[in-house]
Amino acid sequence: MKAFTLLEERGTAGMDVFAKISGHEQVVFCNDPHTGLKAIIAIHNTTLGPALGGCRMLPYANIDEAMNDVLRLSKGMTYKCAAADVDFGGGKSVILGDPLTDKSPEMFRAFGQFVESLKGRFYTGTDMGTTPEDFVHASKETRCIVGIPEEYGGSGDSSVPTSLGVIYGIKATNKAVWGDDALQGRTYAIQGLGKVGFKVAERLLEEGADVFVTDINEAAIELLNQKAKGLPGSVRVVKGDEIYAVDADVFVPCALGGILNDHTIGMLKVKAVAGSSNNQLEREEHGGDLWRRGILYAPDYIVNAGGLIQVADELYGPNKQRVLTKTKAIYTSLLEVYKHSEDRSICTAEAADLFCEQRIEARKNRSSFFTADQKPKWNVKR
Ligand code: NAD
């Protein structure tokens, strides 16, 4: 097993590499011929704490594609961790390969060894193409793993806090638009009734709200219709793109990324967007488009941080009450972002980035209050 960092690169190619990673602290290439592991770990910023970010396994077409993905995603984690106030910085890792054919327990143990070699600078867990079980193998080699199954000491289904965070995100958004954060008395258009969207729909129906829903999975729609029978709210089912044009107050995307784009934004009749989907804006400028049309966009990485809050909390030992309290804070963070946006006349997506950058800036150059041996210990439970 051999790890080398880009700091060891030489010559002209090395110069290009440094230009590419100029916003990042460290990038590590991991190569283990014995298990076939080829992985990249990117640490973007550790001002707020050790880097945290999931591990994707995808059959990337080439190294550039993998590199671009890990650099972009690790930077996103810096902002997401700052917004969620979890004492972690931003990182991410990618394994190059097909998760259906190229995985083995040994590969994840080797990956765990590379993570351990970073001596606590990087914590990781599951993402696209990897499962909590893969990280049970990795966790035999390192303590820097989060999100493993409950029976191994993990914190369980992350969609529970994520959906709760979406509810608090909707409440803050209602408050900003209508001056009152009640869920009832308004109509919601929910795209996707998976692990998160279904729980959000159920909660809205319990509160007596009316929902339009769409999902390509008929079984999920059928199940929601069954549940709705005993609840005060009402369900109307629509097909595919019809969800963008329904006469609702809030659009709640809980399925796909890139759904706020040149094609869909003009169709929206809602006054606000607040949902769990990652990367909702197809391009950065779509945040400005929504703002100019008077649609309040709740930045996705703030709204959907409940799952991140839960896995970050694992390092202090599981405590559902603490996760709940931090998830509720999504409400106040969003109101702060909306205020930034209003005060500076900038769109909410830009205001969210600014809000996070200010949090990071405020910690820079501050030495810790604790001496080294008094510092809160990571991984107290394992
Ligand atoms: P999921 O896979 O359980 O659910 C997604 C649902 O969307 C499925 O029911 C699927 O059938 C449906 N869907 C797929 N394509 C669709 C389409 N074209 N139109 C309508 N519905 C469609 O995923 P999830 O865990 O509920 O996550 C939903 C979104 O939230 C994803 O973008 C995910 O990245 C994001 N997110 C989830 C979490 C979490 O804790 N689960 C955390 C942060 C962000």
Side-chain angles (χ1 to χ4, degrees), residues 128-148:
M128 277 163 75
T130 59
T131 64
E133 287 68 29
D134 293 332
F135 285 94
V136 172
H137 302 300
S139 71
K140 291 174 184 162
E141 305 290 346
T142 177
R143 293 181 307 166
C144 299
I145 299 293
V146 294
I148 54 178

Side-chain angles (χ1 to χ4, degrees), residues 80 157-160 162-163 191-198 214-217 220 240 253-257 276-278 304-308:
K80 197 163 173 169
D157 182 359
S158 67
S159 69
V160 174
T162 302
S163 55
Q191 183 182 49
L193 294 173
K195 293 183 289 297
V196 177
F198 196 93
T214 189
D215 197 299
I216 50 172
N217 177 3
C254 294
L256 312 161
S276 74
S277 290
N278 275 314
N304 70 19
L308 168 71

Side-chain angles (χ1 to χ4, degrees), residues 72-341:
R72 178 179 63 86
L73 294 166
S74 55
K75 182 176 176 188
M77 286 306 296
T78 295
Y79 284 78
K80 197 163 173 169
C81 288
D85 199 16
V86 290
D87 299 330
F88 274 99
K92 201 84 184 182
S93 49
V94 294
I95 295 179
L96 290 78
D98 185 336
L100 296 177
T101 52
D102 298 340
K103 261 186 198 176
S104 66
E106 292 71 31
M107 175 184 275
F108 280 87
R109 285 191 78 143
F111 182 64
Q113 288 178 6
F114 282 110
V115 172
E116 184 62 17
S117 74
L118 293 169
K119 298 187 187 315
R121 271 176 61 73
F122 176 63
Y123 284 71
T124 193
T126 181
D127 200 286
M128 277 163 75
T130 59
T131 64
E133 287 68 29
D134 293 332
F135 285 94
V136 172
H137 302 300
S139 71
K140 291 174 184 162
E141 305 290 346
T142 177
R143 293 181 307 166
C144 299
I145 299 293
V146 294
I148 54 178
E150 266 180 295
E151 59 272 30
Y152 288 93
S155 51
D157 182 359
S158 67
S159 69
V160 174
T162 302
S163 55
L164 186 70
V166 174
I167 290 293
Y168 280 105
I170 293 173
K171 281 172 82 67
T173 306
N174 287 358
K175 173 94 178 155
V177 177
W178 292 283
D180 151 23
D181 69 8
L183 296 170
Q184 70 268 34
R186 276 178 246 294
T187 308
Y188 302 86
I190 307 175
Q191 183 182 49
L193 294 173
K195 293 183 289 297
V196 177
F198 196 93
K199 294 181 187 72
V200 171
E202 253 189 311
R203 174 68 192 278
L204 291 172
L205 291 168
E206 281 164 11
E207 295 280 341
D210 299 320
V211 297
F212 289 96
V213 296
T214 189
D215 197 299
I216 50 172
N217 177 3
E218 295 287 334
I221 295 199
E222 181 50 36
L223 190 61
L224 189 71
N225 274 324
Q226 290 298 326
K227 293 247 173 180
K229 282 182 185 151
L231 299 173
S234 73
V235 179
R236 274 171 285 180
V237 179
V238 296
K239 289 239 173 287
D241 280 5
E242 287 169 23
I243 197 73
Y244 300 113
V246 293
D247 215 351
D249 298 307
V250 185
F251 175 43
V252 187
C254 294
L256 312 161
I259 37 74
L260 299 169
N261 55 43
D262 293 341
H263 172 63
T264 59
I265 288 175
M267 294 162 75
L268 295 174
K269 298 199 180 90
V270 291
K271 283 265 170 281
V273 178
S276 74
S277 290
N278 275 314
N279 306 318
Q280 291 170 28
L281 303 173
E282 190 180 73
R283 294 193 308 277
E284 226 172 83
E285 63 262 33
H286 291 124
D289 291 349
L290 288 164
W291 186 64
R292 280 184 291 278
R293 284 173 181 268
I295 299 172
L296 189 66
Y297 166 64
D300 47 13
Y301 68 82
I302 299 193
V303 176
N304 70 19
L308 168 71
I309 290 168
Q310 175 163 291
V311 294
D313 188 76
E314 284 182 12
L315 301 182
Y316 295 103
N319 184 315
K320 293 208 184 304
Q321 190 53 45
R322 203 167 48 217
V323 171
L324 182 72
T325 306
K326 291 207 99 170
T327 303
K328 278 183 183 170
I330 287 174
Y331 182 97
T332 39
S333 296
L334 266 183
L335 288 181
E336 258 188 78
V337 166
Y338 294 152
K339 187 162 183 329
H340 268 313
S341 157

